[in-house]
Amino acid sequence: MPNATIARMDECKLSRLSVEFGGFPEKGESLEMTMDISVSNRKPLEDGRTAMAIDFLLYSNSGKFYLIDAQAIGKFSIPSSWDENRAGDYLRSNGANEMYAAIRVMLDSVTSCFSAGTINIPPADIALG
C-alpha cells in the first residue's frame, strides 16, 4: 500500500458516460425518475492503491427528460497500518459516498449544456452493508 497517513480518494474518472434528453414532460404530466446505483467490489492495484467502480443509471418512467448512464472508477490510498476490515469499512461507506458525490458534480456540469438545464442529483447515503 502507498505511504498514506489518512484514507483518501486519489482519483475519480468517468469511464462511461451517456446523457440523452428525451424531451420535456407535457404540462401537468407527472414524471417519475428512477436512479439505480451499484458499487463493485474493490480490487487491489499494482501501485498499492485500491480501485472500485460505481455504476449510475437515471431514467424516467416515460422516456422523457434525462436518461443518464455513467460509470466512474475511483482509486483510493489506504494507510498500511489499517487491516482489511477497516479498509473495507472505509471503502463501503466513505469511499462509495465520495465517488457518488464526484459523479453528482460531474453530471451537474455535463447537463448544464442541455436545454433542460442542470439536473441536480439528490445527495444520498449509499453506504454498503
Side-chain angles (χ1 to χ4, degrees):
M1 293 185 171
N3 191 14
T5 56
I6 60 169
R8 66 179 187 263
M9 181 169 66
D10 296 325
E11 196 176 300
C12 184
K13 295 181 179 180
L14 286 175
S15 58
R16 182 180 72 237
L17 177 61
S18 171
V19 178
E20 296 178 33
F21 179 66
F24 291 102
E26 301 297 325
K27 186 175 181 174
E29 179 184 4
S30 67
L31 187 66
E32 181 181 313
M33 299 295 290
T34 301
M35 183 170 62
D36 294 331
I37 298 171
S38 64
V39 179
S40 73
N41 290 330
R42 63 186 201 263
K43 118 180 145 172
L45 300 173
E46 289 181 13
D47 66 4
R49 295 184 297 172
T50 301
M52 64 185 212
I54 185 168
D55 288 287
F56 179 93
L57 182 63
L58 180 78
Y59 57 94
S60 72
N61 58 331
S62 66
K64 293 184 180 173
F65 206 51
Y66 285 115
L67 167 61
I68 299 173
D69 180 17
Q71 181 184 64
I73 306 292
K75 293 182 181 176
F76 297 84
S77 291
I78 307 291
S80 57
S81 60
W82 287 17
D83 64 24
E84 280 298 311
N85 288 334
R86 187 171 180 192
D89 288 346
Y90 166 79
L91 291 168
R92 280 189 299 278
S93 60
N94 297 48
N97 280 304
E98 289 171 16
M99 289 183 64
Y100 177 74
I103 286 175
R104 287 179 61 222
V105 170
M106 291 178 210
L107 291 177
D108 283 352
S109 295
V110 170
T111 57
S112 70
C113 301
F114 285 80
S115 59
T118 301
I119 187 165
N120 294 309
I121 308 296
D125 183 358
I126 60 165
L128 309 170

